[in-house]
Amino acid sequence: MTEAQTPSSVAAAGTQPGILLGAAVSKRTGKGKQADPDAAKKQEAQRNRKTTIKESAKRREQYTQLSLLWHEKLLRPVKENVLEQAARYLTPSEYDDVVE
């Protein structure tokens, strides 16, 4: 509690004197909750991991869609150059499955 505050003004404000006093003591002594210098780095690394995972999932979905498009193209009779193009987008096992 500071000098300007009385117990009744603290009660009227809805705060507890112990909480207010603890905050004042921690400001004066420098003790209390101290920021972890590595916490910001850890949080940033965690955000980067989440972003990387989301981007990876998005790329995987895009690859799956592209792969399905090539599967559909190869179900019909196609020329040799289309087979060569398909080989760039399909894994060897996918290519073999469709061509057989």
Side-chain angles (χ1 to χ4, degrees):
M1 201 171 348
T2 63
E3 295 175 13
Q5 294 176 326
T6 63
S8 61
S9 69
V10 170
T15 60
Q16 297 176 352
I19 293 173
L20 186 60
L21 181 60
V25 168
S26 103
K27 286 182 183 176
R28 279 187 266 141
T29 61
K31 294 181 181 177
K33 190 174 183 180
Q34 296 178 358
D36 182 12
D38 293 330
K41 290 180 184 178
K42 290 177 184 177
Q43 288 176 347
E44 182 65 26
Q46 188 175 11
R47 279 193 296 268
N48 287 342
R49 280 192 297 273
K50 287 181 180 180
T51 302
T52 302
I53 290 169
K54 286 180 183 179
E55 289 173 355
S56 176
K58 186 177 179 179
R59 278 193 300 267
R60 197 174 318 124
E61 179 63 27
Q62 289 172 342
Y63 168 77
T64 302
Q65 293 298 322
L66 182 61
S67 176
L68 288 173
L69 287 173
W70 277 101
H71 276 94
E72 290 173 1
K73 284 184 182 183
L74 295 179
L75 291 176
R76 291 176 257 127
V78 293
K79 295 183 180 182
E80 187 177 329
N81 66 338
V82 175
L83 291 174
E84 291 171 358
Q85 289 176 349
R88 295 183 201 150
Y89 300 103
L90 300 175
T91 63
S93 63
E94 292 172 330
Y95 182 83
D96 289 341
D97 290 342
V98 174
V99 172
E100 290 177 359

